[in-house]
Amino acid sequence: MRTIAKFLARNKGFITFMLCMIVFRSAVADWNVVPTGSMQPTIKIGDRILVDKLAYDVRLPLTHISLLHLADPQRGDIVVLDSRTAHERLVKRVIGLPGDLIAMRGNVVFINGRAASYTLGSYSGIHDDLLNPARYRIEHYGDIRHAIRLSVNWPSPASNFGPVKVPTGQYLLLGDDRDNSMDSRYFGFFARDEIVGRSRYVVASLDPQHHYLPRIHRFGAPLD
């Protein structure tokens, strides 16, 4: 016990700093490495995204317990969640809010019977396009607009689903790489308490296809 007490006394500054960092990252803000392409072209493989953990709730550090409700996720938000069904942390986009009727026909999203509109998009630097060519579209719904990626040769069998009604307290989430995303079409709806934060910016980006060299142009890039 005396040895432990001496160790704590000598390192109290460092220990205090580490505890503050743990509390900050668990309850205020964190960064999340994105190892998969399910949100391409918006988020590229190797991006480190900023997670605002105060976007929706003030939570008890190191838990999912909400101490203060601040807001609810909105359609179009990019959210980070700890999925009980998928057994991992996911990054997806909010498409369906509680009470919405959602369907998809040929990768066209219908929200409450109204189809989203699509315009042509053009993106470069997506490594997956070399083996899996893709078409890019800008998906519009009201004031919300964001890019999606559609596979030319391997469309997803989940490009048609619904209509389904989003239950109270749950959300329907999709990836922007619509033919390469495990999302609500596979896992079902996601509960509100699984959503830990919102992401709007890339902190840093390392390119796994080029020896993890930094993509300087993506540092601080906004996520639409």
Side-chain angles (χ1 to χ4, degrees):
M1 289 298 294
R2 189 174 300 172
T3 302
I4 295 175
K6 288 182 179 179
F7 174 82
L8 293 176
R10 290 196 194 103
N11 298 279
K12 61 182 179 181
F14 176 74
I15 293 170
T16 300
F17 171 77
M18 291 302 297
L19 289 174
C20 289
M21 282 297 297
I22 291 170
V23 170
F24 182 86
R25 292 189 62 180
S26 67
V28 180
D30 197 1
W31 61 86
N32 195 77
V33 178
V34 180
T36 70
S38 69
M39 282 295 292
Q40 294 183 128
T42 309
I43 302 175
K44 293 188 176 183
I45 298 172
D47 281 351
R48 274 69 172 162
I49 60 174
L50 179 67
V51 183
D52 179 4
K53 293 191 172 182
L54 292 177
Y56 307 124
D57 296 279
V58 176
R59 296 181 185 266
L60 184 67
L62 303 177
T63 76
H64 281 208
I65 299 172
S66 176
L67 301 176
L68 178 65
H69 174 267
L70 300 176
D72 286 315
Q74 299 300 304
R75 196 183 333 276
D77 285 359
I78 296 173
V79 297
V80 177
L81 64 147
D82 291 327
S83 170
R84 290 185 285 268
T85 304
H87 306 295
E88 63 178 330
R89 176 160 287 195
L90 303 176
V91 182
K92 303 296 176 186
R93 189 181 295 275
V94 177
I95 299 297
L97 304 177
D100 281 344
L101 190 67
I102 307 294
M104 182 179 281
R105 297 290 179 265
N107 271 322
V108 174
V109 171
F110 289 78
I111 303 175
N112 298 321
R114 176 185 169 192
S117 61
Y118 297 84
T119 54
L120 291 176
S122 179
Y123 291 85
S124 60
I126 306 297
H127 186 266
D128 287 357
D129 288 352
L130 297 177
L131 296 177
N132 181 14
R135 296 174 287 116
Y136 293 92
R137 298 290 185 268
I138 308 299
E139 185 172 84
H140 303 260
Y141 190 87
D143 295 332
I144 300 167
R145 62 187 302 276
H146 56 88
I148 63 170
R149 181 177 185 270
L150 303 172
S151 174
V152 172
N153 297 324
W154 296 293
S156 169
S159 59
N160 296 281
F161 79 93
V164 294
K165 187 173 183 178
V166 184
T168 300
Q170 301 194 52
Y171 293 82
L172 188 143
L173 310 179
L174 297 178
D176 289 350
D177 193 345
R178 292 289 163 80
D179 292 319
N180 183 33
S181 175
M182 298 294 287
D183 45 41
S184 284
R185 294 170 292 176
Y186 299 91
F187 297 127
F189 305 110
F190 295 99
R192 170 68 173 79
D193 65 1
E194 294 181 313
I195 297 174
V196 299
R198 179 181 63 206
S199 184
R200 287 182 170 173
Y201 296 96
V202 176
V203 176
S205 183
L206 303 178
D207 189 348
Q209 301 300 325
H210 294 89
H211 310 290
Y212 290 92
L213 292 173
R215 301 185 184 106
I216 300 298
H217 66 284
R218 290 193 63 76
F219 283 42
L223 298 175
D224 297 323

